[in-house]
Amino acid sequence: MNSRSFREYVQGSIQIGMGMGIISLLARWVTGTTILSSPESMIKYGVFGGIGYAFLGAIALFVFSFIGKKVRGEFPDCLTIGDYLKKKLHPFGYWIMIGILILTSLHILYIQSMSASTLFHFLFNLPLYTEIFIFICFCVLFAGFGGLKMIHGLAGFQVITMFAAAILIPLYFFVKEGVQPVYDGIKLYHPYMLVIDHYDLWGFLFSGLLVGFGQFFFDITSWHRLFMIEAKKIPLTFSLSGLIWGIFPLSFSCLFIIVIFTGGFTDIQSILVGLANKITTPFFFILFVLCAFNAITSTFGAVLHSLTSLIVLNIIEPLKKTKSDQQKIRMAYLLSVVIGVIIFFSTVIQSKNIIELLFYSGNVYSALLFPILVIVFSKGKTANYVPLSIIISIILSYVVQPYVGEFQSIWLSSLFSIIIIMICFSISLFTHKKNFTISEK
C-alpha cells in the first residue's frame, strides 16, 4: 500500500471501461436515500411520486453524458472537478465553487449517515452513537484508507447484491400475494396514492427536476468517475447507468407498496418493521439488509474518497506544495478520519427525516444548475459573477422561503441565478461595447 503513487490512490492504475464505469456509477448513485426516499416520495406524493423520482434521476444521468463528453474533449488530463474548475474560472470564482463543493459533499455524507442510522435502528435498536461509529469506521477504513482500488474491489459485490434484492424480493412478493390483491388493498386503504392530478405531486416533480439536475451535474464523485472512464465510452456509460439506475427506486417503491397494501403506517420506520414481518424467508431478509448496507456504504465511501482527493489535490497541495506521494496519501488518511468525525457528531447532534434532508439543500442545487451549464458551455474563463450568483441566489431563496413555501423557494433559487447572470452579462456586454466605441473615437 505504501509503494503506490497518489495518482493511483485517486484514479486507479488504468482508465476503466464501460462495464466497470457503470458499476462504479451505480455504486455511487444507488444510495440509502434511493432505498428509503423513493418509498417516502410514494407515501407523501402517491405512486407517481415514486415513479417520478426514478425517472428524474435516470434523465439527469443521461443528460450528464453529453456534458461529460464535452468536458473530457476539452480537458482530458484532469483528475477531479477541482482541476476542471481551476481551468475554467478565475481564482475568486474558483474558491467559491470549491467551498460549495466541500459543503455539498459533506451534506451527502450526512444524508447517508442518517440513512445508516435508520437501517441500524431497524435491525439492532442500538444507541445512535454506537451505530454511527461502527458505520463510519467501516467506511473510513475501506474507502479512506483503501483508496480507489478497494472501492472498485467491493463495487462488483455491492452492485450484485443491490440488483438481486431489487429484482428478486419484489418478484417473490408479487408471486406470493398476486398483483390484483395488492392493487385492491392500495385502492381500499390508500386511494390518494393512485391520484395523479395533485398540486403537491407536480410541485415535487418540478422541484425534483431542478434539485436532481443540479446535484447530478455538480456531484464530486460523478466528475471523479468522468475523468477515469475511457473518453470514447463516456456517453454510453452514463446513459446506460441512468437507464439501469431507474430500476432501483421503481423496484423499492413496489416493494413497499406490497408492505402497506394490507393497512396503515406511520413513517418509514413502521414500513421497515412491516417489511421485516413480511419477509419470512431468511435468504430474502439477509439479501435486503445486504442491499441497504451496500447502497449506503458504497455511496459514503465513494464521496469520502472523492472529497479527500479533491482537498489534497486542489487545496492542500497548491497551498503547501506537498511533493511526496506518501505525504499526500498520509494526508488523505488523516482527512478521511477528520471528515468521519465531523459526520459522526453531525448525525448524533442533528437528525431529520429523509425527505427533509433531500430538499433541505434543494435551494443550493437548484441555484447551481444554470451556473454549472454556463461554466461548461462558455469559451475560455468564466466571469466571477457566475459563481457569485450562486451564493446570492441561495441567500435570497432562503430569505423568501417562509413567505412562498419550500417548493417555490427552490424554483425561485434557480430563477434568481438565471436573472443575476443575465443582468451581469448584459452590463458587461454594454460596458464592453461602450469602451469599444470610445476607443474608436
Side-chain angles (χ1 to χ4, degrees):
M1 184 178 290
N2 289 331
S3 60
R4 63 180 168 174
S5 67
F6 185 68
R7 187 184 181 94
E8 185 180 350
Y9 172 88
V10 173
Q11 199 174 31
S13 55
I14 57 171
Q15 286 199 323
I16 58 178
M18 185 170 65
M20 192 63 227
I22 291 172
I23 289 173
S24 186
L25 287 169
L26 290 176
R28 158 63 184 98
W29 283 110
V30 182
T31 68
T33 47
T34 307
I35 295 173
L36 298 178
S37 64
S38 52
E40 280 214 12
S41 303
M42 177 194 67
I43 291 165
K44 198 167 183 181
Y45 304 105
V47 172
F48 296 98
I51 294 171
Y53 182 88
F55 279 104
L56 293 177
I59 293 169
L61 266 176
F62 177 76
V63 174
F64 187 74
S65 66
F66 296 99
I67 294 174
K69 183 180 179 181
K70 185 179 189 306
V71 168
R72 278 296 295 274
E74 278 187 300
F75 303 107
D77 298 325
C78 294
L79 290 178
T80 67
I81 185 175
D83 294 340
Y84 177 78
L85 292 174
K86 185 176 287 187
K87 295 176 184 295
K88 293 287 289 186
L89 295 170
H90 299 287
F92 179 71
Y94 168 76
W95 287 111
I96 288 177
M97 298 301 283
I98 289 293
I100 296 172
L101 257 177
I102 292 172
L103 291 176
T104 52
S105 299
L106 289 173
H107 182 258
I108 293 168
L109 294 175
Y110 170 62
I111 291 176
Q112 299 312 306
S113 184
M114 284 304 307
S115 300
S117 71
T118 301
L119 177 66
F120 281 127
H121 183 72
F122 156 64
L123 291 173
F124 308 115
N125 200 23
L126 294 172
L128 177 63
Y129 61 86
T130 305
E131 299 165 351
I132 300 304
F133 180 78
I134 294 170
F135 165 73
I136 289 179
C137 282
F138 174 80
C139 292
V140 168
L141 286 173
F142 101 83
F145 285 72
L148 193 66
K149 185 178 180 181
M150 181 67 74
I151 290 172
H152 280 172
L154 290 176
F157 170 72
Q158 290 168 332
V159 171
I160 287 171
T161 56
M162 290 186 283
F163 254 119
I167 294 170
L168 294 179
I169 298 177
L171 182 63
Y172 163 77
F173 274 117
F174 274 112
V175 170
K176 182 182 176 183
E177 303 286 355
V179 176
Q180 190 63 42
V182 173
Y183 174 77
D184 291 339
I186 294 294
K187 195 173 181 181
L188 176 64
Y189 292 105
H190 312 286
Y192 64 90
M193 295 182 69
L194 302 173
V195 176
I196 190 171
D197 190 17
H198 193 269
Y199 176 78
D200 282 349
L201 169 63
W202 297 110
F204 168 76
L205 293 178
F206 185 62
S207 300
L209 186 70
L210 293 176
V211 175
F213 272 47
Q215 185 173 13
F216 275 84
F217 293 176
F218 197 64
D219 178 65
I220 192 172
T221 306
S222 294
W223 281 78
H224 195 173
R225 301 298 180 264
L226 171 65
F227 294 120
M228 66 178 67
I229 298 171
E230 292 179 37
K232 62 182 180 181
K233 297 179 179 177
I234 284 172
L236 194 56
T237 300
F238 277 89
S239 299
L240 287 176
S241 297
L243 184 64
I244 297 168
W245 182 88
I247 296 170
F248 288 93
L250 287 175
S251 176
F252 288 113
S253 292
C254 291
L255 179 61
F256 285 93
I257 283 175
I258 296 171
V259 175
I260 66 174
F261 84 95
T262 54
F265 57 88
T266 54
D267 53 20
I268 190 66
Q269 199 69 43
S270 68
I271 294 179
L272 287 172
V273 172
L275 180 63
N277 294 330
K278 284 276 187 179
I279 304 179
T280 53
T281 307
F283 170 76
F284 286 115
F285 183 78
I286 293 169
L287 186 61
F288 175 77
V289 172
L290 274 175
C291 168
F293 182 75
N294 284 334
I296 297 166
T297 54
S298 64
T299 301
F300 192 102
V303 176
L304 177 67
H305 174 258
S306 296
L307 181 57
T308 54
S309 300
L310 175 98
I311 293 173
V312 172
L313 282 172
N314 301 115
I315 298 178
I316 294 175
E317 186 178 4
L319 295 178
K320 286 189 69 177
K321 302 295 181 184
T322 307
K323 295 179 181 179
S324 166
D325 276 357
Q326 297 312 309
Q327 284 181 304
K328 295 176 188 176
I329 291 174
R330 283 194 293 270
M331 185 60 67
Y333 293 165
L334 178 61
L335 278 169
S336 300
V337 174
V338 171
I339 293 169
V341 171
I342 292 170
I343 301 302
F344 171 79
F345 283 107
S346 300
T347 309
V348 171
I349 293 168
Q350 181 67 34
S351 299
K352 291 180 177 287
N353 68 48
I354 302 298
I355 289 293
E356 283 179 339
L357 286 172
L358 281 175
F359 287 104
Y360 185 74
S361 60
N363 298 36
V364 177
Y365 289 118
S366 181
L368 279 164
L369 178 56
F370 187 68
I372 282 294
L373 294 175
V374 171
I375 291 169
V376 170
F377 289 100
S378 62
K379 294 181 179 180
K381 295 273 187 179
T382 307
N384 286 330
Y385 63 75
V386 174
L388 197 59
S389 71
I390 300 169
I391 305 296
I392 298 171
S393 300
I394 293 169
I395 294 171
L396 288 175
S397 66
Y398 280 117
V399 169
V400 302
Q401 184 170 309
Y403 307 101
V404 299
E406 188 175 50
F407 288 156
Q408 289 79 2
S409 70
I410 289 173
W411 309 341
L412 287 173
S413 180
S414 184
L415 184 61
F416 287 150
S417 66
I418 294 171
I419 291 171
I420 292 167
I421 290 174
M422 295 302 292
I423 290 173
C424 292
F425 176 75
S426 300
I427 292 171
S428 64
L429 194 65
F430 175 76
T431 306
H432 176 74
K433 283 185 176 179
K434 189 176 180 181
N435 291 338
F436 180 75
T437 306
I438 292 171
S439 65
E440 276 189 333
K441 290 179 181 179

